[in-house]
Amino acid sequence: FTTSVTCTGFTTCFAVSSCELACVVFSVVSMASKESSSTPMEGEAMEDGIRGDAVAQKDDEPMILVRRKRKSKRDDEMEIPSEDPGATKRPNFPPVSASQMGGKGEFRKIPVPPHRYTPLKDRWLEVLTPLVEHLKLQVRFNQRTRHVEIKTSPHTTDIGAIQKGADFIRAFMLGFEVSDSLALVRLDDLFLDTFEIQDVKPLKGDHLSRAIGRIAGKGGKTKFTIENVTKTRIVLAETKIHLLGSF
């Protein structure tokens, strides 16, 4: 049969079979694709020229092999996206009161030495006022056992109130003034410490008395100087030394 094939710019008429027709169509299509690929666009030609110049420049330089480290799945999991530090805020939880904690009330006993029984009796109101008004604790003095007993109440708001109250009474029993011991109630970074001179250096007789005198000084001047410089309070009780201050 007779068939006409039209391609870019020409028309051909010939008589062929169906197989020959398919071969002719395939050859014509391949020729058309080659012509279209042989004429690139202006933009592609400029890019090829730039790439050629870059390759020509790189040919002069020595090749450097760079080994890239593969990222494992574990590294991907550990990576945290960087965020603005100002956007993240720490949670602010209000302090829990003693009534919210529930449970049984806490109870403490502080022994009273024989030589501090009279000072406690004379200054009982001064000792009782901060414990009841500020810490909201229940306080009593047991004359049979010679102990000061303190206990939390339903009105106690601070969890550490009973510990502050026990430290306050213990400091007074060691020989500190009420005004100095009251700092344990108002501040959180104050502590009590006790040691003996024998722990520092074993001394006996006159040597021990001389060491205690050197710590006290004439009229207590040396002890006052140490207290002012270190911002502490010192009590000399025979061979024991009690300290009240911060670390």
Side-chain angles (χ1 to χ4, degrees):
F1 52 89
T2 304
T3 305
S4 63
V5 179
T6 304
C7 190
T8 57
F10 60 89
T11 305
T12 306
C13 297
F14 49 87
V16 293
S17 62
S18 60
C19 294
E20 293 175 349
L21 177 61
C23 295
V24 171
V25 172
F26 179 78
S27 62
V28 172
V29 171
S30 62
M31 290 174 61
S33 62
K34 287 181 180 180
E35 290 178 0
S36 61
S37 61
S38 61
T39 57
M41 297 177 63
E42 294 180 359
E44 295 178 356
M46 292 178 65
E47 291 179 1
D48 292 341
I50 294 171
R51 291 174 184 170
D53 296 339
V55 171
Q57 292 177 2
K58 289 183 178 179
D59 290 341
D60 299 337
E61 299 177 358
M63 294 181 65
I64 300 174
L65 296 177
V66 179
R67 172 176 275 180
R68 293 184 179 179
K69 184 180 179 181
R70 278 190 175 183
K71 287 186 177 181
S72 60
K73 294 182 179 180
R74 187 177 179 182
D75 295 338
D76 296 338
E77 293 176 357
M78 293 179 65
E79 285 184 357
I80 300 174
S82 59
E83 297 179 357
D84 186 10
T88 58
K89 294 182 179 180
R90 294 183 178 180
N92 185 13
F93 299 105
V96 181
S97 62
S99 59
Q100 294 176 351
M101 290 288 291
K104 296 182 179 180
E106 297 185 23
F107 182 79
R108 300 287 176 87
K109 290 182 178 180
I110 298 92
V112 180
H115 67 281
R116 297 298 294 174
Y117 181 74
T118 303
L120 178 63
K121 185 178 179 180
D122 296 338
R123 296 177 178 83
W124 176 248
L125 289 178
E126 298 179 18
V127 174
L128 184 67
T129 302
L131 295 175
V132 176
E133 294 184 358
H134 298 285
L135 300 179
K136 309 297 182 181
L137 297 174
Q138 296 177 353
V139 187
R140 74 173 183 177
F141 176 69
N142 193 333
Q143 296 182 357
R144 183 174 59 85
T145 59
R146 295 288 182 94
H147 282 75
V148 176
E149 300 175 354
I150 57 176
K151 183 182 178 181
T152 57
S153 66
H155 303 285
T156 305
T157 56
D158 188 5
I159 300 175
I162 192 167
Q163 183 62 43
K164 292 180 180 179
D167 293 340
F168 167 67
I169 298 175
R170 189 176 295 110
F172 179 76
M173 298 306 167
L174 291 177
F176 293 98
E177 295 293 334
V178 176
S179 57
D180 296 335
S181 302
L182 194 60
L184 291 167
V185 178
R186 298 175 178 175
L187 303 176
D188 295 332
D189 57 346
L190 293 181
F191 304 94
L192 285 171
D193 193 9
T194 301
F195 68 94
E196 293 188 7
I197 298 177
Q198 300 286 348
D199 297 338
V200 180
K201 187 176 182 180
L203 298 173
K204 293 181 181 180
D206 295 338
H207 299 288
L208 181 59
S209 302
R210 193 180 300 110
I212 297 172
R214 287 179 178 176
I215 295 173
K218 186 177 180 180
K221 292 182 179 179
T222 305
K223 184 174 75 73
F224 294 149
T225 303
I226 297 173
E227 290 178 345
N228 294 332
V229 172
T230 59
K231 297 181 180 180
T232 58
R233 290 293 180 265
I234 301 174
V235 172
L236 299 176
E238 296 183 355
T239 60
K240 292 184 178 180
I241 298 177
H242 308 293
L243 301 175
L244 172 63
S246 58
F247 286 104

